[in-house]
Amino acid sequence: MSRSARGGARPAPRAQLGLSAASALVIGSIIGTGVFALPSALAPYGPIALVAFGAVTLGALALAVTFGSLSQRVPASGGPYVYAREAFGEFAGFLNAWSYWITAWAGNAAIVVAWVGYVEVFVNTGHRTGISVLIALVGLWIPAAVNLSGVRNTGAFQVITTVLKFVPLILMATVGLLFVDPDNFGAFNASDQSALGAISAAAAIALFSYLGLEAASVVAGRVRDPERNVPRATVYGTLVCAVIYLLGTLAVFGTVSHGELGASTAPFTDAANNIVGGTWAGDAVAAAAIVSGIGALNGWTMLCAEMPYAAARDGLFPEAFARLRGTSGVPAFGIVASTVLASLITVFSYTRFEDVFTRIVLLSVLTAVIPYLFSAAAQLYWLLARGRERLSPRRLARDVTVAALAMAFSYWSIQGSGYQTVYYGLFVLLLGLPVYVWLKRDRGEYGAETSPGPQVPRARASETAPSAVIRIPRARRPLGTVLRHHD
C-alpha cells in the first residue's frame, strides 16, 4: 500500500488540457532545439545520417502507435511508468519512472545547450564559457517559473510557442529544398565505420529528436477525455514532426557545405543565410529556435515533475514529489528538483558545444529507450495474454507487428548508443536501486505482491485496493528467524 493510500487519498489534479494543448505538448516536446542542432551532430556521418533519420522515423511512429494503444487502455498519468507497473509489477514501474526522470532533466540540459547556441547569434558571440553558462541557467529557470504558475498557464505557453516555431520550420522544409546543392552533401559515409555501423550510431543521436512523443501519455491524468485525446495527440503530433524533421534536415544538409556544417553551432541559421544572403534570414531562424527551445523546455519541465509525481502517489518515489501546490495542483518539488539537477549537469559538463550536446543527448536517449522498451513489451504482453479475447484476428496481428517493431527499434537504439554510453546509462539506472530499497523499507514491505490484479491499472493508490505483501515487524524479531522469499 502506498503512502498516499495509508495517509488518506490525495486529490487527483484537475484535467485542464484539451486536444489542442495535448497536441501542442507533444509537438513542442519533440520539436525543441534538437531539430535546430542535430544537423551539426549528424554531419560527421555524412548523408548516410539521413538514412538513419528515416529508419528512426519509422521506429518513432511505431512507438507513437504503441503509446496511443496503451493510453486508451490505461488513461492515467505516468505513461511508461504506469504501463510497466501494470504489466510487470512495482520494481519494473520504479525503474521506468527513475529512468524517465533522468531522461527528462538530463534532456533539458541538452536542449538548453543547443538553445544557447542560437541565443549567442545575438549576444555573447565570442562564446565565453561563463556567459554561456549564465544564459543556459536563465533558459532552464524561465520554463520552471511558468510551470510553477499553474497547469493552465503551462498549456497556453506551449500552444503559443508551438505556433511561433512552425512558420520558419515549414519554410525551411519547403522553400529550402529549392536551394539544395548536391555538392554540399560530401561523401555519403563520411565516418570511418561501416555503413551499418554509421547508420546505427547516427540513429542513436537522431532518436533524440523524437524524445517527447509520449508526452501526452505522461500527463494523461491532466487531459480531458484522455482515452480519445491522448492517442490522437500522440500519433498526429509525431506525424507532423516527422515530416518537418526529414525535409528540414535534408534542406540543411544540401544548403550548408559538409565542412561548415560539422563546425556550426546554429546550422539552420547558416542554411537560411546561405539561401537568402546576408544575415537577416538567419537571425529570424535563430529567433524561432530560441522560441522553440523555450517551448520544449516548458513541456519537458512539466514531464520532469509528472512522472515522479505519478510514482510518488503509489509510494514508489520520495513522498515530496507527490505534494501539490495551489488550486491547479502543481507538483512544485518535482519542478524545482529537476531544474536544479539540469542546472548542475549543464554547469559541470559545459566545455564545448559538440561534446556537451552529443554526450548528454546519448545519455538521454539511452535512459528514454528503456521506458520505451518496457512500454512496447507491456503492449506485446497484453496482446499475447488478452488480445485474442478482446480484438479481431486482423487487429491483433497488426498490433502485435507494431509492438514487435517498437521493441526491435528500442533494442537497436540501445545498441547504437555505444559501449561507453550504455555503461554510464546502466550505472545511472542502477543508482536507483538504493532509492527503491529505502522506499520499500520505509513502507515496511519485503518480497513481491501476492495478489497481482491484472485487470486493474494501479496508476493511483487511491483508485485501487491494497495488495497483499509480506510485512516485516520493525522491532524485536528473533535473531534466529530467517524470512525466505518462498515463505
Side-chain angles (χ1 to χ4, degrees):
M1 186 185 301
S2 73
R3 299 181 197 194
S4 57
R6 292 200 310 267
R10 297 180 186 272
R14 290 185 297 165
Q16 299 179 338
L17 303 178
L19 177 59
S20 60
S23 299
L25 179 63
V26 172
I27 295 172
S29 299
I30 294 176
I31 299 182
T33 50
V35 66
F36 293 97
L38 274 176
S40 295
L42 295 174
Y45 301 98
I48 198 172
L50 297 173
V51 178
F53 222 145
V56 167
T57 298
L58 293 177
L61 291 174
L63 283 169
V65 173
T66 298
F67 276 110
S69 299
L70 286 164
S71 62
Q72 283 183 314
R73 195 170 71 251
V74 191
S77 283
Y81 156 72
V82 177
Y83 311 145
R85 189 180 193 276
E86 179 202 25
F88 307 117
E90 282 193 346
F91 183 60
F94 168 79
L95 282 182
N96 276 264
W98 177 262
S99 184
Y100 192 88
W101 182 58
I102 294 171
T103 294
W105 58 258
N108 272 359
I111 291 172
V112 84
V113 167
W115 181 79
V116 167
Y118 282 92
V119 172
E120 290 182 342
V121 170
F122 304 102
V123 298
N124 192 35
T125 54
H127 305 293
R128 285 179 289 178
T129 301
I131 297 178
S132 296
V133 171
L134 180 61
I135 294 171
L137 293 178
V138 171
L140 288 170
W141 285 96
I142 288 176
V146 174
N147 273 263
L148 289 171
S149 69
V151 176
R152 188 179 298 277
N153 292 338
T154 302
F157 189 84
Q158 199 68 22
V159 171
I160 293 170
T161 54
T162 299
V163 172
L164 290 177
K165 78 176 67 173
F166 251 79
V167 176
L169 286 174
I170 291 174
L171 288 175
M172 183 60 68
T174 52
V175 177
L177 294 176
L178 301 177
F179 295 87
V180 168
D181 182 354
D183 292 337
N184 287 326
F185 287 105
F188 182 67
N189 182 3
S191 70
D192 57 358
Q193 305 180 51
S194 66
L196 183 58
I199 291 174
S200 296
I205 298 174
L207 179 58
F208 180 76
S209 298
Y210 286 106
L211 297 189
L213 62 88
E214 72 292 339
S217 69
V218 175
V219 300
R222 297 181 183 268
V223 178
R224 295 190 294 270
D225 191 10
E227 294 92 339
R228 180 172 179 267
N229 286 333
V230 170
R232 293 170 67 194
T234 301
V235 175
Y236 296 156
T238 304
L239 278 171
V240 169
C241 294
V243 173
I244 296 293
Y245 272 172
L246 290 173
L247 297 182
T249 304
L250 176 63
V252 172
F253 265 76
T255 54
V256 181
S257 68
H258 181 260
E260 293 177 359
L261 186 59
S264 175
T265 60
F268 269 76
T269 293
D270 294 338
N273 287 335
N274 289 347
I275 290 172
V276 179
T279 61
W280 69 267
D283 291 347
V285 171
I290 292 170
V291 172
S292 180
I294 284 290
L297 288 166
N298 179 67
W300 275 102
T301 300
M302 185 179 189
L303 301 183
C304 280
E306 284 295 321
M307 178 68 79
Y309 165 73
R313 285 198 59 168
D314 294 329
L316 293 178
F317 235 71
E319 189 176 15
F321 286 90
R323 296 172 188 154
L324 300 178
R325 184 181 67 85
T327 56
S328 62
V330 176
F333 182 84
I335 293 170
V336 173
S338 300
T339 307
V340 167
L341 289 170
S343 300
L344 290 175
I345 195 174
T346 299
V347 171
F348 286 119
S349 63
Y350 214 104
T351 54
R352 59 191 179 96
F353 179 84
E354 295 85 358
D355 287 340
V356 175
F357 184 73
T358 304
R359 289 175 184 176
I360 300 177
V361 160
L362 288 173
L363 178 62
S364 300
V365 166
L366 181 66
T367 52
V369 167
I370 292 171
Y372 289 175
L373 179 61
F374 270 89
S375 296
Q379 171 71 348
L380 189 61
Y381 178 31
W382 184 86
L383 289 170
L384 296 177
R386 299 283 186 268
R388 292 182 180 178
E389 306 169 6
R390 311 286 181 85
L391 304 175
S392 66
R394 183 176 180 179
R395 172 71 183 274
L396 177 62
R398 187 200 72 180
D399 288 358
V400 166
T401 301
V402 171
L405 178 61
M407 280 192 69
F409 172 69
S410 299
Y411 280 120
W412 180 50
S413 299
I414 293 173
Q415 182 273 330
S417 296
Y419 296 113
Q420 187 178 38
T421 302
V422 172
Y423 166 76
Y424 285 119
L426 180 61
F427 180 77
V428 170
L429 180 66
L430 294 180
L431 285 178
L433 285 176
V435 178
Y436 185 74
V437 170
W438 168 58
L439 291 169
K440 294 287 281 187
R441 178 261 174 198
D442 198 41
R443 290 162 56 180
E445 298 176 4
Y446 182 82
E449 297 176 356
T450 57
S451 56
Q455 298 298 320
V456 183
R458 299 185 56 195
R460 293 289 180 268
S462 59
E463 297 172 358
T464 60
S467 301
V469 294
I470 301 173
R471 301 278 178 182
I472 300 178
R474 294 202 176 200
R476 293 192 296 274
R477 184 154 53 93
L479 295 177
T481 302
V482 178
L483 182 61
R484 301 180 179 84
H485 183 71
H486 61 267
D487 290 335

